[in-house]
């Protein structure tokens, strides 16, 4: 919920929450979430594909992955807008810590 609040405070027009727990949805909406994706309800589509569909194929400016699960970190990066073949819209440092310290394959 903190990621939703930070996005809202900083003026995000579209805030997409992704969680398998539908119960968290109402709380996040109270903080400003505008869209909700339940990964278990989207069939064979990837999370990043659903996010891009909600953003007219562009992807999001910023994504926050809060579970530290490596394949979800990859989905967060895939959901991010690509500028000049780089999935980062502004200069920044990326630090990832996964729960299992597994390798993160980026393509």
């Amino acid at each position: 919920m903190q990621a939703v609040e930070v996005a809202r405070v900083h003026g995000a027009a579209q805030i997409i929450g992704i969680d398998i727990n539908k119960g968290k949805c109402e709380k996040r909406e109270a903080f400003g979430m505008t869209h909700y994706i339940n990964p278990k309800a989207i069939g064979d589509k990837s999370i990043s594909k659903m996010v891009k569909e909600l953003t007219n194929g562009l992807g999001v400016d910023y994504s926050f992955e809060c579970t530290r699960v490596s394949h979800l970190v990859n989905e967060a990066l895939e959901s991010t807008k690509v500028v000049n073949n780089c999935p980062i819209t502004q200069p920044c440092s990326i630090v990832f810590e996964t729960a299992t310290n597994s390798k993160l394959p980026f393509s």
Side-chain angles (χ1 to χ4, degrees):
M1 281 185 268
Q2 290 174 340
V4 173
E5 177 68 0
V6 167
R8 185 190 63 77
V9 167
H10 287 280
Q14 190 175 31
I15 303 171
I16 304 167
I18 302 166
D19 202 313
I20 59 173
N21 185 346
K22 178 82 170 137
K24 295 179 182 178
C25 185
E26 288 180 16
K27 289 180 182 178
R28 289 191 179 123
E29 285 176 340
F31 279 89
M33 182 182 71
T34 60
H35 297 80
Y36 170 73
I37 297 172
N38 181 340
K40 289 189 173 185
I42 59 176
D44 292 336
K45 288 186 182 178
S46 68
I47 295 168
S48 56
K49 183 169 178 63
M50 290 297 298
V51 169
K52 288 188 177 181
E53 285 180 11
L54 287 171
T55 58
N56 297 318
L58 297 174
V60 295
D61 292 324
Y62 301 96
S63 61
F64 299 91
E65 200 305 303
C66 303
T67 66
R68 300 182 342 172
V69 176
S70 60
H71 78 275
L72 296 177
V73 172
N74 285 331
E75 285 292 333
L77 283 173
E78 289 291 325
S79 299
T80 306
K81 196 177 287 182
V82 175
V83 177
N84 297 326
N85 294 321
C86 180
I88 306 298
T89 58
Q90 297 181 14
C92 66
S93 298
I94 303 175
V95 178
F96 293 112
E97 177 187 346
T98 63
T100 59
N101 292 324
S102 59
K103 293 181 181 178
L104 301 175
F106 297 112
S107 54

